[in-house]
């Protein structure tokens, strides 16, 4: 893969036992716009800041949440182009699974396969780790689930989590606000409140993106108008 | 000669009320020479899934090993047994992979879905799925097997009635086939478990 100048692996261990490229990848993620997710008893919500570099950009064309299968969605923090590659691969993995078993892929399996893709770029010559962390939200036979996948390829199931610029404060906020018997509507309100905490400027339906999945097992992105309604409810 | 009729055999799967049956004969031959009279052509995948394979025995053995392999890995990854319909689709996929150099085997898949619904499906050697509400057959003389099954099949048979029907269909069906017979084995799968019985038929 590549010519000899790049045939060594960029992720080589440091004397202290760390893989510096992965550490730097996590730094790239931590510099990205904040995303968070909350698992409720009857669904999952993911919300992300949509910080556009200029007012001239057409907001509707920018998508930070994507559908992987009808019942699994994903939000990211970090490098947008890297997230596109992962979304494409994850969609293909899900479709291949369906072709093979005529069954929709369980969320945990899709997360594992996607995490494997990310791990592969930490142990091969000539490639660099992905500069994104993913928040994967879905509802399958095991119920509602929320997973975080990191550039290293490690993944965790969360009740609530945040990634990106404001993740430390957001997670502290979520730790206080989260309760086990939260329902989806409460989770949406809490998610918006958490995003609002660290938001620079005025939060509105056009500069954040919210995806929800309920017991109907259909992941959908809320319209700016719906977000605006929820925002007014939390005022 | 025909690779599909080199070793000989006959397999029937039939649905009942909340149960399925799958049966095979016990002959293994090399054309006209009989080599074994205790050769089962059914393979258990899990408690509610049995696959029967008719055709060339070397491919039957390789395929049953490959099915076991795939199901073991699936169990380890997903921490659950494969659903019958998912298994059937996987079999179809595995056979079609060899579209231009196929396995000379026609599988019969029989089992119960997680909610107890009976499932039987037959396939050709390149994976064309033929799901049936009543019965499926495979082997070196499917015409005879189709004939007896069509005549004796009834809807909603109990496990005991199903056993009698499948056993009689198999024994009389393989009687018309010189390459199949020498007894049979019948498995009745119910949500409570599987009962297997060996049949003694015409030993010729």
């Amino acid at each position: 893969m590549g010519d000899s100048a790049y045939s060594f692996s960029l992720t080589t261990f440091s004397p202290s036992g760390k893989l510096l490229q992965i550490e730097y990848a996590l730094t790239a993620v931590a510099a990205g716009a904040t995303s968070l997710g909350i698992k409720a008893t009857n669904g999952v919500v993911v919300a992300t800041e949509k910080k556009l570099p200029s007012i001239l950009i057409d907001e509707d064309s920018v998508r930070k949440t994507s559908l992987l299968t009808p019942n699994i969605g994903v939000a990211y923090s970090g490098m947008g182009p890297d997230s596109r590659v992962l979304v494409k691969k994850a969609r293909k993995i899900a479709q291949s699974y369906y072709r093979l078993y005529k069954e929709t892929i369980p969320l945990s399996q899709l997360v594992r396969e996607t995490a494997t893709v990310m791990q592969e770029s930490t142990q091969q010559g000539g490639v660099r780790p992905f500069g994104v962390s993913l928040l994967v939200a879905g509802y399958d036979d095991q119920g509602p689930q929320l997973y975080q996948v990191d550039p290293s390829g490690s993944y965790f199931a969360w009740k609530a989590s945040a990634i990106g610029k404001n993740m430390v404060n957001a997670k502290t906020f979520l730790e206080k606000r989260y309760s086990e018997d939260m329902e989806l509507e409460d989770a949406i309100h809490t998610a918006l409140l958490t995003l609002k905490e660290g938001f620079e400027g005025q939060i509105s339906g056009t500069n954040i993106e919210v995806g929800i999945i309920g017991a109907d097992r259909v992941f959908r992105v809320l319209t700016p108008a719906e977000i605006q309604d929820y925002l007014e409810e939390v005022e | 000669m025909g690779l599909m009729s080199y070793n000989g055999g006959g397999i029937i799967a039939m649905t009942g009320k909340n149960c399925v049956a799958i049966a095979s004969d016990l002959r293994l031959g090399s054309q006209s020479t009989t080599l074994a009279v205790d050769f089962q052509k059914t393979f258990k995948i899990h408690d509610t899934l049995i696959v029967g394979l008719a055709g060339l025995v070397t491919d039957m053995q390789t395929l049953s090993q490959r099915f076991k392999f795939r199901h073991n890995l699936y169990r380890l990854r997903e921490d659950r047994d494969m659903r019958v319909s998912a298994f059937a689709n996987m079999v179809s996929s595995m056979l079609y992979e060899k579209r231009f150099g196929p396995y000379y085997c026609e599988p019969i898949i029989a089992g119960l879905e997680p909610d107890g619904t009976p499932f039987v499906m037959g396939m050709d050697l390149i994976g064309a799925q033929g799901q049936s509400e009543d019965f499926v057959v495979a082997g070196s003389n499917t015409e005879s097997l189709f004939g007896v099954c069509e005549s004796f099949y009834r809807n909603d048979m109990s496990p005991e009635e199903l056993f009698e029907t499948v056993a009689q269909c198999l024994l009389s069906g393989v009687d018309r086939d010189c390459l199949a017979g020498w007894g049979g084995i019948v498995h009745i799968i119910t949500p409570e478990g599987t009962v297997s019985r060996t049949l003694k038929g015409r030993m010729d």
Side-chain angles (χ1 to χ4, degrees):
Chain A
M1 157 130 215
D3 63 46
S4 57
Y6 294 101
S7 59
F8 59 86
S9 172
L10 298 171
T11 33
T12 36
F13 280 105
S14 72
S16 56
K18 291 199 205 157
L19 289 163
L20 289 174
Q21 280 299 307
I22 295 180
E23 305 281 322
Y24 301 152
L26 287 165
T27 313
V29 171
T34 314
S35 302
L36 56 92
I38 305 179
K39 180 177 77 162
T41 54
N42 57 344
V44 192
V45 57
V46 286
T48 170
E49 281 181 11
K50 203 158 65 164
K51 275 308 190 47
L52 301 169
S54 157
I55 54 162
L56 292 174
I57 291 185
D58 184 355
E59 306 101 28
D60 300 329
S61 70
V62 177
R63 289 295 301 273
K64 288 200 65 194
T65 45
S66 309
L67 203 62
L68 297 182
T69 70
N71 65 323
I72 303 172
V74 64
Y76 74 90
S77 280
M79 297 170 66
D82 284 11
S83 81
R84 277 205 309 274
V85 169
L86 284 170
V87 164
K88 189 175 172 189
K89 291 213 166 131
R91 285 174 176 165
K92 202 167 178 187
I93 289 166
Q95 286 308 311
S96 304
Y97 186 99
Y98 186 78
R99 265 208 80 201
L100 195 48
Y101 299 113
K102 206 95 166 289
E103 242 180 57
T104 46
I105 190 168
L107 180 52
S108 52
Q109 301 294 312
L110 182 57
V111 166
R112 210 201 52 243
E113 296 285 322
T114 311
T116 305
V117 169
M118 292 167 86
Q119 193 279 343
E120 277 162 11
S121 58
T122 67
Q123 207 174 12
Q124 266 177 40
V127 295
R128 63 161 175 81
F130 284 90
V132 282
S133 276
L134 302 173
L135 282 174
V136 190
Y139 201 123
D140 64 15
D141 289 341
Q142 313 313 115
Q145 294 151 75
L146 174 69
Y147 283 92
Q148 177 182 333
V149 197
D150 279 344
S152 57
S154 44
Y155 60 93
F156 324 88
W158 289 91
K159 300 176 198 173
S161 182
I163 50 177
K165 213 175 292 177
N166 200 36
M167 59 186 237
V168 178
N169 293 331
K171 276 211 254 211
T172 318
F173 193 87
L174 285 169
E175 270 170 34
K176 296 204 197 88
R177 292 290 182 124
Y178 182 80
S179 81
E180 298 273 332
D181 51 12
M182 224 182 216
E183 291 203 347
L184 188 53
E185 290 294 302
D186 307 322
I188 298 173
H189 292 131
T190 308
L192 290 172
L193 273 172
T194 317
L195 262 189
K196 209 167 144 203
E197 273 289 297
F199 204 87
E200 288 161 22
Q202 177 72 337
I203 195 171
S204 79
T206 46
N207 53 24
I208 60 171
E209 215 170 291
V210 180
I212 60 168
I213 179 161
D216 60 354
R217 303 200 189 187
V218 177
F219 184 89
R220 66 179 193 88
V221 182
L222 299 180
T223 64
E226 286 173 306
I227 300 176
Q228 202 53 45
D229 290 339
Y230 278 112
L231 279 170
E232 274 156 30
E233 282 171 26
V234 299
E235 292 289 341
Chain B
M1 196 236 305
L3 290 168
M4 294 299 284
S5 52
Y6 182 80
N7 296 118
I11 305 187
I12 300 178
M14 217 179 252
T15 59
K17 196 169 171 70
N18 302 324
C19 57
V20 284
I22 182 165
S24 82
D25 73 320
L26 295 175
R27 181 183 180 271
L28 167 68
S30 179
Q31 290 185 283
S32 56
T33 308
T34 300
L35 298 171
V37 298
D38 58 357
F39 194 82
Q40 285 187 34
K41 299 166 190 72
T42 52
F43 304 91
K44 176 178 151 168
I45 302 295
H46 62 69
D47 288 342
T48 51
L49 209 193
I50 294 180
V51 63
L53 289 157
L56 199 59
V57 165
T58 179
D59 287 346
M60 177 197 305
Q61 289 173 332
T62 299
L63 272 179
S64 64
Q65 287 164 12
R66 286 193 67 203
F67 295 155
K68 199 84 207 125
F69 177 95
R70 296 289 293 265
H71 186 252
N72 284 345
L73 284 180
Y74 183 96
R75 272 231 64 167
L76 287 166
R77 275 198 311 267
E78 306 222 5
D79 207 18
R80 61 182 175 127
D81 283 332
M82 222 186 260
R83 198 175 275 174
V84 191
S85 47
F87 180 81
N89 214 64
M90 185 191 77
V91 168
S92 171
S93 199
M94 286 170 75
L95 292 174
Y96 196 83
E97 269 174 8
K98 305 281 184 204
R99 172 67 177 76
F100 300 111
Y103 289 112
Y104 289 96
C105 252
E106 287 178 342
I108 300 270
I109 293 141
L112 299 173
E113 291 280 336
D115 63 359
T117 315
F119 178 102
V120 292
M121 183 186 272
M123 246 172 248
D124 72 2
L125 74 173
I126 44 176
Q129 299 177 22
Q131 194 172 345
S132 175
E133 297 271 298
D134 37 35
F135 55 84
V136 287
V137 300
S140 40
N141 195 348
T142 50
E143 289 85 352
S144 311
L145 296 172
F146 271 127
V148 284
C149 287
E150 199 68 63
S151 311
F152 296 133
Y153 180 80
R154 296 179 329 271
N155 278 325
D156 294 332
M157 285 184 273
S158 71
E160 293 72 30
E161 292 172 306
L162 187 62
F163 167 73
E164 273 309 314
T165 310
V166 172
Q168 293 302 329
C169 285
L170 181 72
L171 289 178
S172 41
V174 301
D175 274 350
R176 278 285 179 184
D177 181 5
C178 50
L179 301 175
W182 284 91
I185 181 150
V186 184
H187 309 278
I188 308 288
I189 307 172
T190 64
E192 290 75 50
T194 305
V195 181
S196 305
R197 299 180 183 91
T198 315
L199 308 172
K200 191 166 161 77
R202 282 181 64 104
M203 304 306 218
D204 62 359

